[in-house]
Amino acid sequence: MVSTSDVALLTGWNLVSLNSTPADTTPSSVMNSVNSKITVVWGFNATGKKWELYDPVMPSALNTLKSMGQGKGYWIYATQDCTWTV
């Protein structure tokens, strides 16, 4: 059984983390419920010491954020108040 959580995203920047690792960790899958209501997700790669980007309208080959996992923080820019189902 897969459990989900609802996270309220407010218009503007939201700092969030995942309470568990989803079965599909690709940002397009993790952000699926709000892809049309966000413009960008930023995550910091501590190993590579660099910021990684996911933009839902950008070609996937240009996105540098390749997976999202438990315990990591992500900056998400929402264009409107919405509920993110994770």
Side-chain angles (χ1 to χ4, degrees):
M1 178 177 179
V2 177
S3 70
T4 60
S5 298
D6 288 337
V7 178
L9 298 179
L10 303 178
T11 302
W13 288 105
N14 297 266
L15 179 59
V16 300
S17 66
L18 299 175
N19 292 330
S20 62
T21 299
D24 183 348
T25 62
T26 60
S28 60
S29 177
V30 175
M31 302 306 300
N32 186 54
S33 67
V34 292
N35 267 335
S36 65
K37 298 174 181 120
I38 65 166
T39 59
V40 69
V41 177
W42 286 100
F44 188 73
N45 178 329
T47 304
K49 297 184 179 167
K50 61 183 177 179
W51 286 96
E52 296 178 332
L53 162 78
Y54 167 69
D55 180 333
V57 298
M58 195 161 60
S60 61
L62 299 177
N63 284 312
T64 54
L65 183 62
K66 301 298 183 188
S67 68
M68 297 176 73
Q70 179 179 7
K72 296 182 179 181
Y74 300 96
W75 282 102
I76 301 171
Y77 191 88
T79 57
Q80 59 186 281
D81 292 355
C82 56
T83 301
W84 174 34
T85 302
V86 184

